[in-house]
Amino acid sequence: MTFYQRLIRTFATVALICGVTASANAQSWDLLIKDGHLIDARNGIDEVMDVAIADGKVARVGSNLSEEDAVQVVDASGMVVSPGFIDLHAHYFWGTEPNRYLSNSYSALPPDGFTFRSGVTTAVDVGGAGWRNFDQFKRQVIDRSQTRILSFVNIVGDGMSGEPEQDIDDMNPRMAARAVQNNEEVVGIKVAHFRGYNWEPYQRAARAGVLADVPVMIDLGSQQKVLPLDHMFFEVFRPGDILTHTYGSPVIGTVGFKEGALDENGQVREHWIRAQENGFIFDVGHGGGSFFYEIAKPATEQGFWPNTISTDIHTGSMNGGMKGQDNVISKFLNLGMPLADAIAATTWEPAKVISREDLGHLSEGAEADITIFTVREGEFGFIDVRGNVEPGDRKLEIEATFRAGRMVYDLNGIASVPQ
């Protein structure tokens, strides 16, 4: 490569980092990711392919694409290239108001510091904002983040702010549906943490979902008596609605109980299996209290895999067993989930769930949200929310993340220009 070619590439890379489109004389693409193993569930790709990017979009996917047509080339040989990960259950309505749990308070997180390093380019905040304070969430977080932030608006007008989550009078289906209709970033309805033995909050959330034609995510509370979930799956909610915390324990501290995935004989409940077969979505939602190996191991051994893999990231989970999207995916690899299925569960499958089929794939013309990672082999340990450690021999390590064609994370400099 001549001095002038190196100079052009250097300026183009600076432009990419700064979010400015590069224009090179005879070169068609801003970036070419070369020789990576591409996994793209929507397009049925699971093989070594090249990905070319121009103007923040996927320009071409193919074999043996010419390096001469690209301003910058990233050598991804020996690595996996994927659509940018979608975290379907996250908590990013960060703020400084005390005693408001995950709604404009200290327990939520500013997204860009925690998404890209885990391969996430799109995160869905689920219920931090209610229909009363979504506008603040949009101004304060969504509009200021490089990460694409979407939202399930809470059926409770005050959002996920602690005790107000018990106020049925603040659960307004019409107002929640209006928040969906008025904001393109709102892709669903959330109902969570209700402690009463009462179907009314769930019925109101279901009505909002029907009014707005979006899915509802259900996070069960800690009822003193077990709510019959066969009724919930088949009579309250619809196919396409989501139960998060699939591998959570039925015991919630000393407060109360909820129905878990396994029956008293350790078998996956028949109506859970039937619900999934009928199109109900089962999401991981690991969090700080909702992933137990004593549930996940027998459930997955019986073939009950999640439809979507997500973190439930917040200050109470990020430094415990959960850590990040890459770590949660790694747990499922070591439980026996094929890599292609695990990547689909964090890319194309969540995109379909939220009716954002512009995301989660690398079709030509799609926005170039891309994650590059290696699957390390060795001896690793994975921790559940109770502190139980399971050994594993494979672990994802994120190498680089691109958002709309711009490099936003680069662990080892594979997307940077050598001096």
Side-chain angles (χ1 to χ4, degrees):
M1 184 185 297
T2 69
F3 169 78
Y4 293 104
Q5 287 175 318
R6 285 197 300 271
L7 188 63
I8 289 172
R9 289 197 177 190
T10 299
F11 279 120
T13 300
V14 171
L16 284 170
I17 293 172
C18 295
V20 178
T21 301
S23 59
N25 294 333
Q27 293 163 315
S28 304
W29 306 318
D30 301 321
L31 183 71
L32 177 62
I33 300 173
K34 188 76 177 168
D35 294 330
H37 188 114
L38 176 60
I39 297 178
D40 182 342
R42 181 194 178 190
N43 293 303
I45 300 173
D46 187 1
E47 61 182 304
V48 173
M49 299 284 274
D50 302 335
V51 180
I53 299 167
D55 299 324
K57 306 286 187 181
V58 177
R60 189 173 172 191
V61 176
S63 301
N64 301 314
L65 299 185
S66 172
E67 296 185 19
E68 298 302 317
D69 290 330
V71 174
Q72 182 186 359
V73 178
V74 172
D75 181 4
S77 56
M79 304 175 193
V80 180
V81 178
S82 161
F85 295 165
I86 301 171
D87 187 354
L88 190 63
H89 184 152
H91 292 288
Y92 287 123
F93 190 3
W94 63 274
T96 58
E97 291 294 320
N99 304 315
R100 286 192 58 83
Y101 189 36
L102 293 166
S103 186
N104 190 35
S105 195
Y106 301 102
S107 295
L109 298 167
D112 294 343
F114 301 91
T115 49
F116 299 139
R117 64 185 53 245
S118 294
V120 173
T121 55
T122 299
V124 186
D125 183 276
V126 289
W131 48 268
R132 291 186 192 279
N133 59 355
F134 177 80
D135 287 347
Q136 180 184 15
F137 176 47
K138 178 172 167 53
R139 291 192 309 271
Q140 187 167 303
V141 178
I142 295 175
D143 293 345
R144 294 176 180 269
S145 300
Q146 297 179 72
T147 310
R148 180 188 292 103
I149 301 294
L150 305 175
S151 176
F152 277 61
V153 73
N154 206 308
I155 189 63
V156 179
D158 200 43
M160 200 170 288
S161 55
E163 286 303 314
E165 291 179 86
Q166 309 307 311
D167 185 2
I168 294 178
D169 291 338
D170 201 30
M171 301 177 186
N172 189 316
R174 291 192 177 277
M175 294 302 293
R178 184 174 297 176
V180 178
Q181 294 157 354
N182 291 343
N183 298 281
E184 64 180 3
E185 299 91 351
V186 181
V187 293
I189 306 293
K190 179 74 180 292
V191 57
H193 304 157
F194 187 70
R195 294 195 294 267
Y197 187 78
N198 187 341
W199 281 113
E200 184 65 20
Y202 305 97
Q203 291 166 337
R204 293 192 183 197
R207 285 201 294 275
V210 170
L211 286 171
D213 192 25
V214 291
V216 179
M217 179 179 282
I218 305 104
D219 176 348
L220 293 170
S222 50
Q223 295 78 18
Q224 292 296 326
K225 294 191 295 181
V226 176
L227 287 168
L229 295 196
D230 53 347
H231 173 76
M232 184 189 80
F233 290 145
F234 302 111
E235 298 184 44
V236 178
F237 293 105
R238 308 155 294 167
D241 289 334
I242 308 147
L243 180 68
T244 194
H245 305 321
T246 295
Y247 304 100
S249 170
V251 180
I252 307 297
T254 59
V255 178
F257 302 88
K258 66 179 180 181
E259 179 185 288
L262 304 182
D263 64 19
E264 59 277 6
N265 298 315
Q267 300 298 303
V268 178
R269 297 179 190 275
E270 185 276 335
H271 55 272
W272 285 53
I273 297 172
R274 186 157 50 95
Q276 190 177 56
E277 291 173 346
N278 287 349
F280 206 88
I281 305 300
F282 289 86
D283 175 61
V284 173
H286 187 301
S290 300
F291 179 84
F292 293 77
Y293 273 119
E294 65 193 78
I295 306 295
K297 288 180 66 177
T300 56
E301 285 170 359
Q302 294 170 50
F304 193 74
W305 295 101
N307 298 93
T308 55
I309 295 174
S310 68
T311 63
D312 184 18
I313 190 170
H314 48 76
T315 60
S317 65
M318 65 183 188
N319 293 321
M322 188 280 297
K323 296 181 177 64
Q325 185 82 345
D326 49 347
N327 190 68
V328 181
I329 295 170
S330 298
K331 289 179 177 178
F332 282 89
L333 291 185
N334 286 285
L335 285 168
M337 194 174 196
L339 177 62
D341 292 351
I343 298 307
T346 191
T347 55
W348 181 231
E349 293 303 321
K352 290 190 295 182
V353 167
I354 59 175
S355 296
R356 286 296 304 266
E357 297 186 8
D358 56 316
L359 306 177
H361 59 89
L362 296 178
S363 305
E364 293 182 8
E367 195 152 60
D369 292 352
I370 299 174
T371 299
I372 303 176
F373 62 91
T374 55
V375 180
R376 293 179 56 198
E377 295 183 355
E379 296 181 1
F380 308 107
F382 298 94
I383 310 166
D384 73 4
V385 299
R386 191 169 282 163
N388 296 313
V389 181
E390 283 289 323
D393 58 11
R394 293 189 296 167
K395 183 178 183 180
L396 264 66
E397 183 171 84
I398 306 302
E399 287 286 348
T401 307
F402 296 83
R403 171 74 177 91
R406 184 169 63 88
M407 184 266 287
V408 289
Y409 178 76
D410 190 358
L411 180 64
N412 290 303
I414 64 168
S416 299
V417 175
Q419 299 299 314

